[in-house]
């Protein structure tokens, strides 16, 4: 296990360097004046452009720029925006809200998706199975922003059950509906993935052996069948956690959530490349760590898996 963890950690280094370099190049080599948004409709004074160019190392080639950025990043410095605000401070203000929203979304998609998948996988064809299949197909076909607007209109404006926008520091209860909207598409996939996996594994030898031993059905399903069937679901959820934090721009916009998605959107409009780079780099780090954790979790779920 120890050698496997070290090997995986070493594998993360080229992945991190490759992805962050690609992001840096994409953001900082875009055509156009990077400081155009700083001076309104007028052209920025040459002296101002010279100072900003020197501050952001834009006179260096892209490799040197990236190495300098990486040097600051290794010391925990995500850089400064054009008006001198620390990107690290902006992220620290917005990131907790997005993490909270992503956790609510993953929790909803995991609980509802796995339970629906287990029930339909065990019972096979029937009314419940058809209902779940139609419901999940409906969610998959529906764009996330449509789901968000419909729930906001019905539950917020018409029934007044939920606030139409959440507070600046939202509680988990306030994020239930936005979390459902954000995780609705993935929840449909989790349901179908669990259903297929349960239907396939319930005929496996180890399950029939457990049944032949006279074990209670709850133990057969909960310990033997479910543990082996959720491995592909865990993989999906692990990759989805990083995607949810980066892809929450629409959901955060609908419910007025001041999270990381909104920060990226505002930064793109203002051409704040350093903020976009900082946020995406952080998402890459989270994505790599979560995937490493998911890989290590496999051995806990299925003891037959060996790493060495």
């Amino acid at each position: 296990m120890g050698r496997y963890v070290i090997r995986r950690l070493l594998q993360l280094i080229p992945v991190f360097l490759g992805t962050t370099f690609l992001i840096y190049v994409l953001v900082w080599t875009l055509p156009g004046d990077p400081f155009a948004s700083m001076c309104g409709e007028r052209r920025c004074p040459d002296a101002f452009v010279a100072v900003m160019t020197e501050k952001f190392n834009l006179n260096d080639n892209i490799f040197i720029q990236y190495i300098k950025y990486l040097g600051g990043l290794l010391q925990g410095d995500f850089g400064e925006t054009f008006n001198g605000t620390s990107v690290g401070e902006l992220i620290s203000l917005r990131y907790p809200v997005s993490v909270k929203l992503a956790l609510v979304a993953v929790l909803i998609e995991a609980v509802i998706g796995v339970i629906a998948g287990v029930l339909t996988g065990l019972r096979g064809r029937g009314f419940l199975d058809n209902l779940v299949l139609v419901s999940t197909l409906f969610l998959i076909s529906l764009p996330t922003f449509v789901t968000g607007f419909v729930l906001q209109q019905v539950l917020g404006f018409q029934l007044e059950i939920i606030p139409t926008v959440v507070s600046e520091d939202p509680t988990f209860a306030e994020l239930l509906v936005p979390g459902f909207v954000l995780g609705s598409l993935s929840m449909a996939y989790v349901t179908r993935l669990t259903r297929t996996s349960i239907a396939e594994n319930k005929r496996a030898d180890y399950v029939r052996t457990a049944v032949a031993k006279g074990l209670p059905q709850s133990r057969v399903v909960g310990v033997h069948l479910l543990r082996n069937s959720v491995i592909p679901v865990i993989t999906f959820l692990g990759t989805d956690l990083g995607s949810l934090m980066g892809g929450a721009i629409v959901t955060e916009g609908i419910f007025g959530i001041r999270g990381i998605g909104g920060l990226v959107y505002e930064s793109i409009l203002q051409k704040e490349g350093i903020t976009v780079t900082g946020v995406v780099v952080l998402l890459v780090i989270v994505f790599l760590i979560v995937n490493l954790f998911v890989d290590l979790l496999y051995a806990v779920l299925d003891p037959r898996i060996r790493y060495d």
Side-chain angles (χ1 to χ4, degrees):
M1 175 68 86
R3 283 189 297 177
Y4 175 78
V5 173
I6 293 173
R7 193 165 65 242
R8 284 301 313 271
L9 288 173
L10 292 175
Q11 289 173 356
L12 295 185
I13 296 174
V15 176
F16 173 77
L17 293 176
T19 51
T20 54
F21 178 70
L22 183 63
I23 294 161
Y24 194 89
V25 169
L26 287 174
V27 171
W28 288 101
T29 58
L30 287 175
D33 182 4
F35 312 117
S37 62
M38 298 290 296
C39 305
E41 299 191 357
R42 295 177 304 169
R43 185 176 179 278
C44 289
D46 292 339
F48 173 80
V49 173
V51 170
M52 297 300 283
T53 302
E54 179 67 24
K55 180 179 179 181
F56 290 95
N57 306 310
L58 298 184
N59 284 326
D60 298 323
N61 68 55
I62 194 68
F63 295 101
I64 301 298
Q65 288 180 41
Y66 173 70
I67 290 172
K68 289 181 177 178
Y69 176 75
L70 198 62
L73 201 63
L74 292 176
Q75 299 174 41
D77 181 13
F78 284 84
E80 291 183 349
T81 63
F82 294 150
N83 60 14
T85 305
S86 168
V87 175
E89 288 181 11
L90 289 176
I91 292 176
S92 66
L93 289 174
R94 302 288 194 95
Y95 203 66
V97 180
S98 288
V99 170
K100 206 183 288 185
L101 177 62
L103 288 177
V104 171
V106 168
L107 191 63
I108 288 174
E109 69 184 68
V111 172
I112 299 178
V114 169
I115 290 176
V118 170
L119 291 176
T120 52
L122 288 175
R123 295 187 180 184
R125 296 179 180 178
F127 173 75
L128 181 62
D129 188 43
N130 289 326
L131 178 65
V132 169
L133 285 178
V134 170
S135 303
T136 53
L137 184 61
F138 183 77
L139 286 175
I140 291 171
S141 307
L142 212 58
T144 303
F145 72 89
V146 175
T147 309
F149 276 123
V150 169
L151 290 180
Q152 187 187 46
Q153 286 292 326
V154 175
L155 300 180
F157 288 106
Q158 296 183 13
L159 301 179
E160 299 183 353
I161 297 174
I162 62 168
T164 53
V165 293
V166 302
S167 60
E168 193 166 331
D169 185 18
T171 62
F172 280 103
E174 286 181 277
L175 293 174
L176 279 179
V177 174
F180 177 83
V181 173
L182 183 61
S184 59
L185 181 62
S186 299
M187 183 179 69
Y189 287 124
V190 168
T191 302
R192 287 178 168 242
L193 201 57
T194 308
R195 173 185 174 274
T196 305
S197 192
I198 288 286
E200 182 181 341
N201 288 332
K202 71 180 182 182
R203 301 186 186 88
D205 291 341
Y206 64 88
V207 175
R208 288 189 291 186
T209 301
V211 174
K213 284 181 178 178
L215 296 178
Q217 188 179 10
S218 58
R219 184 171 177 78
V220 173
V221 174
V223 177
H224 297 279
L225 181 57
L226 189 58
R227 280 180 61 178
N228 291 282
S229 300
V230 294
I231 290 177
V233 179
I234 294 292
T235 305
F236 179 82
L237 291 173
T239 56
D240 201 41
L241 182 60
S243 306
L244 289 176
M245 282 190 282
I249 296 176
V250 174
T251 306
E252 290 183 1
I254 293 173
F255 294 97
I257 300 170
R258 294 180 58 78
I260 214 79
L263 179 62
V264 172
Y265 180 69
E266 294 164 10
S267 303
I268 291 173
L269 291 181
Q270 297 167 5
K271 296 187 176 179
E272 287 279 6
I274 192 72
T275 308
V276 177
T277 308
V279 172
V280 179
V281 165
L282 184 63
L283 291 176
V284 168
I285 294 172
V286 171
F287 195 81
L288 294 177
I289 293 174
V290 170
N291 273 275
L292 174 62
F293 176 74
V294 168
D295 284 350
L296 298 179
L297 196 60
Y298 289 159
V300 178
L301 294 171
D302 188 350
R304 293 172 299 178
I305 296 176
R306 293 288 182 269
Y307 292 113
D308 296 322

